[in-house]
Amino acid sequence: MHIKDTIEGSFHIVGGDFSRAGEASTEIKSILQSLGFNKEIVRRAAIATFEAEMNIIIYTTAGILRYEITPERIKIIAQDMGPGIEDIELAMQEGYSTAPDWVREMGWGSGMGLPNMKKNSDEFRIDSVVGEGTTVEMVIYLDNTKD
Amino acid sequence: MRVDDLRDILSLQVLTEGIPLDAEVRGGYVSDLLSDVMANAKEGDIWITLQTHLNIVAVATMKGIAGIIIVNGRRPDEETLKKASEEGIPILSTKETAFVVAGKLYKALNVKEI
Amino acid sequence: MKLERIIHSLDAVVITKFMSDGDEIEWACATDLMSEVLYYSKDSSVLITGLTKQQAIRTADIADIRVVVFTRGKEPDTPTIELANEKRITLLITPYSMFTACGRLYEAGLRCCPE
């Protein structure tokens, strides 16, 4: 893995579209794999990205998933035009969820999405305005000594 | 085998108060999808799940579930526990995963019930 | 545990196969909730789930899980099988419930992810 400059890109995510859910994250995972990153780093980034993508699909009308890869880090930014989160501290609690029943029956909405994003990131920021939307920024450091 | 036998075998923590643990357990069902439990769980099953929200009590009541074991150390909120106490559905918890709980229980139920 | 033993213990039907019988599976993860898979699973796990949909395959792929078992004999739809083929995920169907599937694999010596 020798990245000189920043590699970046973005995906538009449509809310409610379960049939294509995860495609953007899968593509980002492929990009990271093709750059030859350590397997565990790829896995962490993929999981964090997938949860962010699912949150856009489950809770919002639309959003953008962006990635930025530099020699030092992977940055994932998920920005949505959703309802926003009223109480971020509560939303960060494991198992807390506002997902409707149909989402739970699809295998999601168990209240582990945000905790999962945080768990797999080295830096995690969330910014939300009720009625406007939510932005999540996740950074995963690239340990260049491995692989 | 009764709910209290399972409690002892698996060292489960009993979360509901004042409910007798003498219901007979006939089998086990592992699921986190309520529709699946509604469709396929049998009367007298012990239900092993990660779900903690209020609806699990209604589903358990309708299906005649002997008790609910909540895994991975997840804790239901007070509302769920209150409802369970009202309906007489014992809720127990463990730090173990569904796989391990089912694994141990399968063996235990098999031994005593052929 | 070897893949072969998992297939045998579960009396499973093989829908897609991208591993050899002797490949080792170290851990089991049994749930219908995909975030739990992402939170607790390790790679080289088998995912046992009643969520017989594309989402289960997608989640397995993201989490580096190479084997997925659908319970209760439920046939997945074509897009789900296509995705398993595309992502090279080995997909099995067991006639057993999740409870029995876990019980049989546990009895055969498979264990859960340490966490």
Side-chain angles (χ1 to χ4, degrees), chain A residues 18 51 54-55 58-59 90-116, chain B residues 32-33 49-53 71-72 74-75, chain C residues 31-40:
Chain A
F18 265 83
E51 289 284 12
M54 287 313 302
N55 268 6
I58 293 167
Y59 295 102
L90 196 58
M92 291 303 299
Q93 277 180 22
E94 289 184 8
Y96 177 83
S97 176
T98 57
D101 288 346
W102 72 267
V103 169
R104 291 177 199 266
E105 292 304 302
M106 298 287 285
W108 297 93
S110 63
M112 295 300 278
L114 289 171
N116 230 345
Chain B
D32 305 312
L33 305 175
T49 189
L50 270 163
Q51 293 284 15
T52 55
H53 60 102
V71 295
N72 289 13
R74 216 49 70 69
R75 203 187 150 81
Chain C
T31 182
D32 301 321
L33 299 176
M34 297 300 104
S35 291
E36 302 291 333
V37 179
L38 298 170
Y39 197 87
Y40 290 102

Side-chain angles (χ1 to χ4, degrees), chain A residues 18-19 21-23 25-26 29 39 43 46-47 50-51 54 94 105-108 110 112 116 119, chain C residues 32-43 51 53-55 58-59 61-64 87 115:
Chain A
F18 265 83
S19 66
E23 283 185 7
S25 304
T26 305
K29 186 180 181 186
K39 202 178 169 214
R43 187 174 187 269
I47 290 173
F50 189 31
E51 289 284 12
M54 287 313 302
E94 289 184 8
E105 292 304 302
M106 298 287 285
W108 297 93
S110 63
M112 295 300 278
N116 230 345
K119 180 191 174 189
Chain C
D32 301 321
L33 299 176
M34 297 300 104
S35 291
E36 302 291 333
V37 179
L38 298 170
Y39 197 87
Y40 290 102
S41 72
K42 298 251 187 292
D43 55 358
L51 190 80
K53 296 183 194 323
Q54 277 186 73
Q55 287 298 299
R58 189 69 80 181
T59 301
D61 180 53
I62 290 283
D64 292 339
K87 295 296 159 198
E115 186 91 25

Side-chain angles (χ1 to χ4, degrees), chain B residues 34-105:
Chain B
L34 303 195
S35 55
D36 174 32
V37 178
M38 280 304 288
N40 302 309
K42 293 190 183 68
E43 196 181 339
D45 275 350
I46 190 102
W47 176 17
I48 300 157
T49 189
L50 270 163
Q51 293 284 15
T52 55
H53 60 102
L54 191 58
N55 294 349
I56 60 173
V57 180
V59 170
T61 307
M62 276 186 271
K63 295 298 288 188
I65 294 287
I68 304 172
I69 300 176
I70 293 177
V71 295
N72 289 13
R74 216 49 70 69
R75 203 187 150 81
D77 55 28
E78 289 309 314
E79 207 184 352
T80 306
L81 293 178
K82 190 165 159 267
K83 182 83 180 161
S85 294
E86 283 167 19
E87 299 289 344
I89 303 281
I91 297 185
L92 303 96
S93 88
T94 174
K95 286 203 169 69
E96 304 259 40
T97 62
F99 180 79
V100 171
V101 171
K104 290 180 177 170
L105 213 53

